[in-house]
Amino acid sequence: MPGPSVPLWERPELRVAAGTTLRPGGFSLTDRAAEAIGITPGWRVLDVGCGLGVTVARLRSRYGAEAWGVEPSSGQIAGAEGVPGLIRARGDHLPFRSRSFDALFCECVFSLFDDPAQGLAEFYRVLRPGGFLVLADLFAQDGCVSGEASCAARARPLVEVREQLEEHGFSLLLAEDHSRHLRDLAARLIWAGGGEDRGCDRRLGYFLMIARQGETNHAG
């Protein structure tokens, strides 16, 4: 069995508990967001931290989007089994021209960014004016943030996430608490023999946010 130094998203226990999406709720929040923003065939959509590429494949097959994905892990991309449009790259250094996408998804990944501000600046840059940002991730009930590379250790309070979005030129359209999906996944992980260091023994939840890129130029 992989040791504790192997991140949770690359451990087989998570694959058993969460399936190929590797996140709480599976495709339920992906579909919720895609339908809320009205994705139609031909939209250019980017999935940041695409993992095994299953969201890219779903956006293509279910919604007819021209979907792309970026993922820093070569192991994850190697396991994507031929999903088209995947590129090995970091979410805070996106290899795309400005105003390239109608929507950008970042699911259960943003809390892992070493520099969230740089990530949001890149999201803003590659979205067209008025484009949509979909964030789904863990949130914390406290401000205790650890330097450990895990979603649980780096999760931030919802108010901080919202403030970051607004500081980088995004207007929040929707914010929902979907913590039940996190509780369900935690229970399945226990049965699968896995788990994750919860940082400072934090109270965690799971959110979905949809924001829109501002219509004017943003210098932040």
Side-chain angles (χ1 to χ4, degrees), residues 138 142 144-155 196-204:
L138 276 70
D142 55 62
C144 173
V145 178
S146 167
E148 298 172 23
S150 73
C151 298
R154 295 190 179 186
E196 184 172 7
D197 186 348
R198 292 176 60 88
C200 18
D201 194 21
R202 319 176 72 190
R203 292 179 56 201
L204 300 172

XYZ file of all heavy atoms in Angstrom, residues 138 142 144-155 196-204:
167
model
N -13.208 22.002 -0.569
C -13.409 21.973 0.865
C -13.351 23.382 1.432
O -12.624 24.236 0.917
C -12.342 21.120 1.552
C -12.582 19.601 1.606
C -12.452 18.978 0.231
C -11.595 18.957 2.571
N -12.702 27.433 10.430
C -11.725 28.201 11.181
C -10.676 28.728 10.227
O -10.717 28.470 9.031
C -11.062 27.310 12.249
C -10.457 26.053 11.640
O -9.543 26.182 10.803
O -10.883 24.943 11.993
N -7.337 28.134 10.616
C -6.102 27.377 10.810
C -5.696 26.715 9.507
O -6.357 25.798 9.041
C -6.308 26.333 11.901
S -4.934 25.204 12.113
N -4.627 27.182 8.881
C -4.173 26.639 7.609
C -2.789 26.049 7.789
O -1.887 26.700 8.310
C -4.151 27.726 6.515
C -3.626 27.159 5.206
C -5.542 28.306 6.322
N -2.622 24.815 7.361
C -1.345 24.121 7.476
C -0.605 24.192 6.155
O -1.201 24.372 5.098
C -1.589 22.654 7.862
O -0.423 21.886 7.690
N 0.715 24.024 6.199
C 1.501 23.997 4.980
C 1.489 22.651 4.300
O 2.087 22.488 3.237
N 0.816 21.673 4.894
C 0.783 20.346 4.310
C 0.015 20.353 2.990
O -0.947 21.090 2.821
C 0.146 19.355 5.282
C 0.917 19.202 6.571
C 0.153 18.359 7.572
O -0.702 17.565 7.148
O 0.405 18.507 8.774
N 0.433 19.502 2.066
C -0.174 19.463 0.735
C -1.401 18.569 0.727
O -1.406 17.489 0.153
C 0.853 18.984 -0.297
N -2.458 19.012 1.393
C -3.714 18.291 1.355
C -4.853 19.291 1.354
O -4.731 20.404 1.871
C -3.853 17.342 2.549
O -4.102 18.068 3.731
N -5.982 18.883 0.748
C -7.150 19.763 0.713
C -7.613 20.103 2.118
O -7.995 21.239 2.405
C -8.288 19.096 -0.054
S -7.939 18.740 -1.785
N -7.611 19.105 3.013
C -8.100 19.323 4.365
C -7.235 20.324 5.117
O -7.746 21.191 5.832
C -8.146 17.994 5.114
N -5.919 20.219 4.977
C -5.021 21.102 5.711
C -5.061 22.526 5.200
O -4.849 23.479 5.950
C -3.592 20.559 5.644
N -5.364 22.710 3.903
C -5.306 24.045 3.299
C -6.671 24.684 3.082
O -6.763 25.797 2.575
C -4.564 23.971 1.973
C -3.100 23.579 2.110
C -2.360 23.762 0.817
N -0.966 23.404 0.939
C -0.063 23.585 -0.028
N -0.435 24.126 -1.179
N 1.184 23.238 0.152
N -7.740 23.998 3.437
C -9.076 24.552 3.248
C -9.224 25.853 4.029
O -8.751 25.985 5.150
C -10.128 23.541 3.707
N -7.466 10.924 5.279
C -6.577 12.057 5.012
C -6.327 12.808 6.302
O -7.221 12.941 7.132
C -7.224 13.004 3.993
C -6.314 14.149 3.591
C -6.916 14.951 2.452
O -8.064 14.699 2.073
O -6.220 15.842 1.955
N -5.088 13.272 6.461
C -4.770 14.094 7.620
C -5.659 15.335 7.596
O -5.664 16.080 6.630
C -3.288 14.517 7.554
C -2.839 15.247 8.802
O -3.698 15.617 9.607
O -1.620 15.439 8.932
N -6.388 15.556 8.666
C -7.342 16.655 8.708
C -6.712 17.943 9.219
O -7.381 18.822 9.766
C -8.537 16.271 9.587
C -9.369 15.174 8.989
C -10.470 14.780 9.937
N -11.356 15.889 10.238
C -12.429 16.194 9.513
N -12.714 15.495 8.425
N -13.201 17.201 9.859
N -5.387 18.063 8.994
C -4.748 19.305 9.384
C -4.825 19.484 10.886
O -4.425 18.653 11.660
N -5.401 20.602 11.352
C -5.487 20.895 12.779
C -6.799 20.402 13.353
O -7.461 21.132 14.091
C -5.308 22.400 12.993
S -5.551 23.389 11.518
N -7.210 19.183 13.016
C -8.456 18.591 13.506
C -9.617 19.539 13.239
O -10.380 19.916 14.121
C -8.349 18.274 14.997
C -9.488 17.353 15.439
O -10.064 16.675 14.564
O -9.801 17.343 16.631
N -9.768 19.913 11.987
C -10.662 20.991 11.587
C -12.070 20.494 11.285
O -12.269 19.354 10.895
C -10.093 21.673 10.339
C -8.599 21.865 10.384
C -8.055 22.451 9.097
N -8.428 23.855 8.992
C -8.263 24.567 7.886
N -7.784 24.009 6.805
N -8.597 25.827 7.858
N -13.028 21.380 11.422
C -14.392 21.119 10.967
C -14.472 21.559 9.509
O -14.295 22.739 9.198
C -15.385 21.901 11.823
C -15.473 21.413 13.260
C -16.457 22.265 14.039
N -17.776 22.272 13.387
C -18.689 23.217 13.592
N -18.421 24.250 14.373
N -19.864 23.140 12.991
N -14.736 20.605 8.642
C -14.673 20.867 7.207
C -16.036 20.691 6.557
O -16.882 19.935 7.026
C -13.671 19.913 6.545
C -12.228 20.001 7.038
C -11.406 18.870 6.430
C -11.622 21.346 6.691
